[in-house]
Amino acid sequence: MNRPERNAAPMSQPERNTGPTGQRTHDSSLPGRPARGSALLWAFGVVAVVELVAVAVAATQVQWLAKPLLAPLLLAWLWWARRQSGPVAIGLVLATAGDIALLVPGDTAFLVGMGCFLGTQLALITAFVGHRRPPVAAVAGYLLLWAAANALLWPQLGALRLPVLGYSLALSLMAAAATGVNLRAAVGGALFLFSDLLIGLGAAGTTPPGHGVLVMATYSAALLLITTGWATRAGGGLPRPTGGEASQPPDGGGAAQPDGGMSPPR
């Protein structure tokens, strides 16, 4: 196939920036556009820190302001990166509803929140399994962990036994399915499982020091890693360019990385 001549472009077109391999980079003539995704992740990091401090000092009103913003900020970033909705986006919407429900005290609100997060796990499973089947060893390992954790907590859970049994099964299958996406999503799935295991321990009457802060820290990290891991999965396509953001050529190779893929401060 004939290669196009480099000097064939009309003189009236603005010169595009290229990287060391000749691939296009972002056009500096439109400042601020590529930074939008990074700003969303930085905002998520700030809100997560505010939420952790609010949990540590038991500032309930601040928690009502911060916690419901976590998943929506990642949802906005996912839309910026992919310009498409899907099961992961639905999962983030349900996670927002679950976060709000769990801010309300009482067993009824706890069950409503668990139901919302059950929807989150099912949505994530749908997305992950549709992308690639997880390794059999990962599924077997997480199922063994699920059985052991429920056997350990069963005597203390009382009326919550069956709801926890069903939800934790979906959660374990989600964590296993995440191993088929990439390492970042797999770590996020494991952290989500660990965070909810801590909640299960609390429901069973066991709360280690710093319980609430540890729950929210692992949960926030899990949401971040799952969302960004899903957006940067291999074979997932390139982020749609917006304004000055130019896409990578089809033969550029490698997995797509949105410009906003940097991790916010913890």
Side-chain angles (χ1 to χ4, degrees), residues 88-184:
V88 174
I90 294 173
L92 289 172
V93 172
L94 291 170
T96 304
D99 282 338
I100 295 172
L102 292 180
L103 285 169
V104 180
D107 288 345
T108 300
F110 181 81
L111 290 173
V112 171
M114 186 183 297
C116 293
F117 277 106
L118 175 61
T120 295
Q121 308 310 332
L122 295 177
L124 294 178
I125 291 171
T126 300
F128 297 164
V129 174
H131 173 65
R132 184 182 296 116
R133 292 184 180 180
V136 174
V139 176
Y142 273 112
L143 287 178
L144 285 174
L145 179 61
W146 166 77
N150 278 275
L152 179 65
L153 297 177
W154 189 266
Q156 289 81 32
L157 288 175
L160 294 174
R161 288 172 179 171
L162 291 180
V164 169
L165 185 71
Y167 172 74
S168 60
L169 176 59
L171 176 63
S172 300
L173 292 176
M174 181 281 296
T179 62
V181 179
N182 53 29
L183 179 60
R184 188 183 297 188

Side-chain angles (χ1 to χ4, degrees), residues 192-204:
F192 210 137
L193 178 63
F194 180 72
S195 179
D196 281 7
L197 178 60
L198 290 173
I199 294 177
L201 287 173

Side-chain angles (χ1 to χ4, degrees), residues 16-19 22-26 246-249:
R16 296 183 181 273
N17 298 328
T18 58
Q23 296 173 359
R24 293 179 182 177
T25 59
H26 298 304
S247 60
Q248 184 181 1

